[in-house]
């Protein structure tokens, strides 16, 4: 019996592999390596002392997925594989719908054919769009503002219909806020293959001299320091949220419906607060350039994590200092990412 982790060679998936292996599960990763290096899985094995089975394949290739599920005797899937850059999704909506929606359909069809009915899906706080109220609760209005967010919303709806159609399905859609940080060993971390667009990888590029300054997108927001506020969550807390969701799914009765849960800390920090915390931990200065607001950005986003605490028995444990410390440790130990 093992658990398939799609996209398990990527940023969040590799940390999730560690958490599941350390909890005693066998893990098989299915990843097409479009945004990952297989070195991440060697590192996972070194951290845990456990073997990770790897299948290079695409989630849209249903027969490859089904063969892997059968060959490894998988009983559940944690599904991270997908495209995640909001800006790219505006330029390539068809590509995003293809991988994120068609890919998930192919994966779920393969699971159904193999009698595997337990699934944890990576959704995003992006589905809320511009919040009407804060903190964000799972019941709040869904209004994605990009094709990326639409793909997550569409998949949530498909999964909702799926669990109604057959009570054997045990499915959770986890809405992540802003994952940052790295494993405490500094052996795995975020290693985007292209040019990063998220805040933390850009901060680290400035800290290491790859970029001269951080452009702060918007300093006129209605926030205490004028910059955007986000709910940054340590990637290991996020990984542990998946284990909690898995344990919840396999312990409950059939027919209890789709689990939808925010995974955030419940606390928002501004762009400048994150920069200051990072400067303090790294002892590097991050030069800033104030820039106009980035198109499509929201002002403030942070979770109400009550549902995850009450239903999954999970809450984030690591603070902003740990997020910055572990990011910096990863970057210092791997200045070229996994390429070194
Ligand atoms: P990532 O790009 O590091 O990981 C995704 C992995 O999926 C990569 O290893 C990539 O090679 C693989 N992949 C992509 N397309 C595939 C395909 N067609 N078939 C097989 N493998 C494929 O991204 P991440 O940050 O680890 O994100 C994981 C998931 O979490 C994504 O679904 C993303 O949308 C979601 N998410 C991420 C964030 C974030 O800020 N990182 C926030 C909310 C939700
Ligand atoms: C975005 C998406 C989220 C997606 C995530 C990962 C939205 C609302 N959210 O998160 O769904 O899962 O990316 O791709 O689209 N910033 C700067 N300078 C920079 C980079 C960022 O000031 O160089 C600021 C942004 O303006 C924002 C904050 O930092 O205020 C966080 O940005 P980012 O890390 O890109 O994440 P989100 O936009 O919150």
């Amino acid at each position: 019996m093992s658990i398939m982790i799609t996209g398990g060679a990527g940023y969040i998936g590799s940390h999730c592999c560690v958490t599941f292996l350390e909890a005693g599960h066998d893990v098989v990763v299915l990843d097409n390596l479009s945004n990952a290096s297989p070195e991440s899985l060697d590192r996972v094995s070194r951290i845990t002392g456990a073997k990770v089975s790897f299948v290079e394949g695409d989630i849209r290739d249903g027969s490859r997925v089904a063969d892997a599920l059968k060959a490894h005797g998988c009983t559940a899937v944690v599904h991270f594989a997908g495209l995640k850059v909001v800006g790219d999704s505006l330029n390539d909506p068809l590509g995003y719908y293809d991988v994120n929606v068609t890919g998930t359909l192919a994966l779920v069809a393969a699971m159904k054919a193999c009698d595997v009915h337990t699934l944890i899906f990576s959704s995003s706080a992006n589905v809320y769009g511009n919040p009407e109220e804060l903190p964000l609760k799972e019941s709040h209005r869904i209004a994605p503002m990009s094709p990326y967010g639409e793909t997550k919303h569409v998949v949530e709806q498909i999964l909702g219909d799926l669990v109604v159609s057959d009570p054997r399905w045990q499915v959770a859609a986890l809405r992540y806020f802003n994952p940052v940080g790295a494993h405490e060993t500094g052996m795995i971390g975020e290693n985007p293959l292209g040019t990063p667009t998220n805040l933390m990888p850009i901060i680290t590029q400035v800290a290491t001299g790859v970029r001269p300054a951080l452009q702060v997108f918007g300093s006129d927001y209605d926030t205490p320091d004028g910059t955007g506020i986000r709910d940054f969550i340590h990637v290991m807390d996020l990984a542990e949220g998946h284990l909690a969701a898995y344990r919840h799914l396999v312990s409950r009765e059939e027919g209890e419906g789709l689990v939808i849960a925010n995974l955030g800390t419940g606390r928002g920090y501004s762009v400048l607060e994150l920069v200051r915390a990072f400067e303090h931990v790294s002892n590097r200065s991050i030069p800033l350039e104030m820039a106009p607001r980035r198109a499509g950005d929201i002002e403030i986003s942070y979770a109400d994590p009550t549902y995850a605490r009450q239903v999954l028995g999970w809450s984030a444990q690591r603070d902003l200092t740990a997020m910055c410390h572990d990011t910096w440790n990863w970057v210092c130990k791997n200045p070229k990412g996994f390429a070194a």
Side-chain angles (χ1 to χ4, degrees), residues 176-196:
Y176 313 156
F177 280 71
N178 287 63
V180 295
H183 190 263
E184 62 183 7
T185 58
M187 289 174 68
I188 54 172
E190 188 166 13
N191 179 44
L193 292 185
T195 308

mmCIF file of all heavy atoms in Angstrom, residues 176-196:
data_model
loop_
_atom_site.group_PDB
_atom_site.id
_atom_site.type_symbol
_atom_site.label_atom_id
_atom_site.label_comp_id
_atom_site.label_asym_id
_atom_site.label_seq_id
_atom_site.Cartn_x
_atom_site.Cartn_y
_atom_site.Cartn_z
ATOM 1 N N TYR A 176 -4.503 26.683 -0.249
ATOM 2 C CA TYR A 176 -3.271 27.196 0.360
ATOM 3 C C TYR A 176 -3.250 28.713 0.277
ATOM 4 O O TYR A 176 -3.598 29.285 -0.744
ATOM 5 C CB TYR A 176 -2.011 26.718 -0.375
ATOM 6 C CG TYR A 176 -1.935 25.268 -0.718
ATOM 7 C CD1 TYR A 176 -1.116 24.860 -1.771
ATOM 8 C CD2 TYR A 176 -2.634 24.295 -0.021
ATOM 9 C CE1 TYR A 176 -1.002 23.529 -2.115
ATOM 10 C CE2 TYR A 176 -2.522 22.960 -0.370
ATOM 11 C CZ TYR A 176 -1.719 22.587 -1.416
ATOM 12 O OH TYR A 176 -1.594 21.271 -1.777
ATOM 13 N N PHE A 177 -2.687 29.329 1.296
ATOM 14 C CA PHE A 177 -2.418 30.759 1.240
ATOM 15 C C PHE A 177 -1.012 30.943 0.628
ATOM 16 O O PHE A 177 -0.799 30.470 -0.476
ATOM 17 C CB PHE A 177 -2.712 31.402 2.603
ATOM 18 C CG PHE A 177 -4.214 31.604 2.723
ATOM 19 C CD1 PHE A 177 -5.059 30.504 2.890
ATOM 20 C CD2 PHE A 177 -4.783 32.842 2.550
ATOM 21 C CE1 PHE A 177 -6.450 30.664 2.894
ATOM 22 C CE2 PHE A 177 -6.166 33.015 2.565
ATOM 23 C CZ PHE A 177 -6.987 31.929 2.739
ATOM 24 N N ASN A 178 -0.057 31.566 1.265
ATOM 25 C CA ASN A 178 1.210 31.852 0.567
ATOM 26 C C ASN A 178 2.355 31.016 1.141
ATOM 27 O O ASN A 178 2.989 31.417 2.118
ATOM 28 C CB ASN A 178 1.538 33.344 0.668
ATOM 29 C CG ASN A 178 0.633 34.175 -0.224
ATOM 30 O OD1 ASN A 178 -0.579 34.202 -0.029
ATOM 31 N ND2 ASN A 178 1.193 34.825 -1.206
ATOM 32 N N PRO A 179 2.639 29.862 0.520
ATOM 33 C CA PRO A 179 3.694 28.986 1.052
ATOM 34 C C PRO A 179 5.084 29.592 0.865
ATOM 35 O O PRO A 179 5.414 30.085 -0.214
ATOM 36 C CB PRO A 179 3.567 27.711 0.202
ATOM 37 C CG PRO A 179 2.325 27.862 -0.611
ATOM 38 C CD PRO A 179 2.003 29.310 -0.681
ATOM 39 N N VAL A 180 5.863 29.560 1.922
ATOM 40 C CA VAL A 180 7.269 29.997 1.878
ATOM 41 C C VAL A 180 8.068 29.052 2.783
ATOM 42 O O VAL A 180 7.500 28.190 3.449
ATOM 43 C CB VAL A 180 7.452 31.465 2.358
ATOM 44 C CG1 VAL A 180 6.770 32.448 1.423
ATOM 45 C CG2 VAL A 180 6.932 31.653 3.781
ATOM 46 N N GLY A 181 9.388 29.246 2.829
ATOM 47 C CA GLY A 181 10.206 28.423 3.718
ATOM 48 C C GLY A 181 10.717 27.179 3.018
ATOM 49 O O GLY A 181 10.538 26.997 1.802
ATOM 50 N N ALA A 182 11.375 26.342 3.791
ATOM 51 C CA ALA A 182 12.031 25.150 3.248
ATOM 52 C C ALA A 182 12.181 24.150 4.387
ATOM 53 O O ALA A 182 11.958 24.499 5.555
ATOM 54 C CB ALA A 182 13.409 25.535 2.708
ATOM 55 N N HIS A 183 12.604 22.945 4.039
ATOM 56 C CA HIS A 183 12.833 21.949 5.091
ATOM 57 C C HIS A 183 13.961 22.428 5.999
ATOM 58 O O HIS A 183 14.931 23.043 5.541
ATOM 59 C CB HIS A 183 13.177 20.589 4.474
ATOM 60 C CG HIS A 183 13.177 19.493 5.481
ATOM 61 N ND1 HIS A 183 14.332 19.044 6.082
ATOM 62 C CD2 HIS A 183 12.162 18.794 6.043
ATOM 63 C CE1 HIS A 183 14.022 18.094 6.957
ATOM 64 N NE2 HIS A 183 12.714 17.928 6.952
ATOM 65 N N GLU A 184 13.864 22.112 7.273
ATOM 66 C CA GLU A 184 14.831 22.660 8.259
ATOM 67 C C GLU A 184 16.262 22.204 7.999
ATOM 68 O O GLU A 184 17.210 22.854 8.446
ATOM 69 C CB GLU A 184 14.410 22.280 9.678
ATOM 70 C CG GLU A 184 14.388 20.785 9.890
ATOM 71 C CD GLU A 184 13.902 20.367 11.278
ATOM 72 O OE1 GLU A 184 13.463 21.221 12.037
ATOM 73 O OE2 GLU A 184 13.985 19.151 11.557
ATOM 74 N N THR A 185 16.454 21.111 7.268
ATOM 75 C CA THR A 185 17.815 20.677 6.942
ATOM 76 C C THR A 185 18.455 21.555 5.874
ATOM 77 O O THR A 185 19.671 21.474 5.648
ATOM 78 C CB THR A 185 17.813 19.247 6.377
ATOM 79 O OG1 THR A 185 16.958 19.247 5.217
ATOM 80 C CG2 THR A 185 17.318 18.234 7.399
ATOM 81 N N GLY A 186 17.647 22.316 5.143
ATOM 82 C CA GLY A 186 18.164 23.084 4.013
ATOM 83 C C GLY A 186 18.479 22.205 2.814
ATOM 84 O O GLY A 186 19.130 22.645 1.869
ATOM 85 N N MET A 187 17.996 20.979 2.815
ATOM 86 C CA MET A 187 18.301 20.074 1.684
ATOM 87 C C MET A 187 17.272 20.155 0.558
ATOM 88 O O MET A 187 17.565 19.796 -0.577
ATOM 89 C CB MET A 187 18.422 18.644 2.186
ATOM 90 C CG MET A 187 19.698 18.467 3.012
ATOM 91 S SD MET A 187 19.797 16.859 3.765
ATOM 92 C CE MET A 187 20.003 15.813 2.350
ATOM 93 N N ILE A 188 16.062 20.560 0.868
ATOM 94 C CA ILE A 188 15.063 20.815 -0.181
ATOM 95 C C ILE A 188 14.439 22.184 0.071
ATOM 96 O O ILE A 188 14.407 22.665 1.210
ATOM 97 C CB ILE A 188 13.960 19.728 -0.258
ATOM 98 C CG1 ILE A 188 13.286 19.516 1.111
ATOM 99 C CG2 ILE A 188 14.504 18.426 -0.819
ATOM 100 C CD1 ILE A 188 12.054 18.599 1.042
ATOM 101 N N GLY A 189 13.963 22.789 -1.018
ATOM 102 C CA GLY A 189 13.365 24.117 -0.906
ATOM 103 C C GLY A 189 12.795 24.513 -2.253
ATOM 104 O O GLY A 189 12.701 23.700 -3.171
ATOM 105 N N GLU A 190 12.447 25.788 -2.362
ATOM 106 C CA GLU A 190 11.819 26.258 -3.608
ATOM 107 C C GLU A 190 12.897 26.539 -4.641
ATOM 108 O O GLU A 190 13.830 27.293 -4.385
ATOM 109 C CB GLU A 190 10.992 27.525 -3.322
ATOM 110 C CG GLU A 190 10.163 27.960 -4.506
ATOM 111 C CD GLU A 190 9.095 28.989 -4.156
ATOM 112 O OE1 GLU A 190 9.148 29.564 -3.049
ATOM 113 O OE2 GLU A 190 8.210 29.200 -5.005
ATOM 114 N N ASN A 191 12.732 25.953 -5.826
ATOM 115 C CA ASN A 191 13.770 26.008 -6.855
ATOM 116 C C ASN A 191 13.109 26.226 -8.212
ATOM 117 O O ASN A 191 13.153 25.364 -9.074
ATOM 118 C CB ASN A 191 14.542 24.675 -6.833
ATOM 119 C CG ASN A 191 15.628 24.606 -7.869
ATOM 120 O OD1 ASN A 191 16.385 25.551 -8.058
ATOM 121 N ND2 ASN A 191 15.712 23.475 -8.559
ATOM 122 N N PRO A 192 12.454 27.383 -8.401
ATOM 123 C CA PRO A 192 11.729 27.570 -9.655
ATOM 124 C C PRO A 192 12.683 27.525 -10.849
ATOM 125 O O PRO A 192 13.770 28.111 -10.789
ATOM 126 C CB PRO A 192 11.068 28.940 -9.504
ATOM 127 C CG PRO A 192 11.743 29.609 -8.361
ATOM 128 C CD PRO A 192 12.398 28.555 -7.533
ATOM 129 N N LEU A 193 12.299 26.825 -11.908
ATOM 130 C CA LEU A 193 13.221 26.654 -13.032
ATOM 131 C C LEU A 193 13.291 27.918 -13.896
ATOM 132 O O LEU A 193 14.311 28.210 -14.481
ATOM 133 C CB LEU A 193 12.811 25.432 -13.876
ATOM 134 C CG LEU A 193 12.982 24.079 -13.173
ATOM 135 C CD1 LEU A 193 12.685 22.918 -14.116
ATOM 136 C CD2 LEU A 193 14.392 23.899 -12.584
ATOM 137 N N GLY A 194 12.217 28.668 -13.958
ATOM 138 C CA GLY A 194 12.252 29.904 -14.758
ATOM 139 C C GLY A 194 12.507 31.110 -13.864
ATOM 140 O O GLY A 194 13.070 30.991 -12.782
ATOM 141 N N THR A 195 12.081 32.276 -14.345
ATOM 142 C CA THR A 195 12.233 33.490 -13.543
ATOM 143 C C THR A 195 11.135 33.504 -12.488
ATOM 144 O O THR A 195 9.958 33.395 -12.821
ATOM 145 C CB THR A 195 12.065 34.727 -14.453
ATOM 146 O OG1 THR A 195 12.942 34.567 -15.547
ATOM 147 C CG2 THR A 195 12.375 36.007 -13.714
ATOM 148 N N PRO A 196 11.502 33.643 -11.205
ATOM 149 C CA PRO A 196 10.439 33.619 -10.198
ATOM 150 C C PRO A 196 9.548 34.854 -10.265
ATOM 151 O O PRO A 196 9.986 35.919 -10.708
ATOM 152 C CB PRO A 196 11.214 33.588 -8.875
ATOM 153 C CG PRO A 196 12.580 34.044 -9.176
ATOM 154 C CD PRO A 196 12.837 33.776 -10.628
#
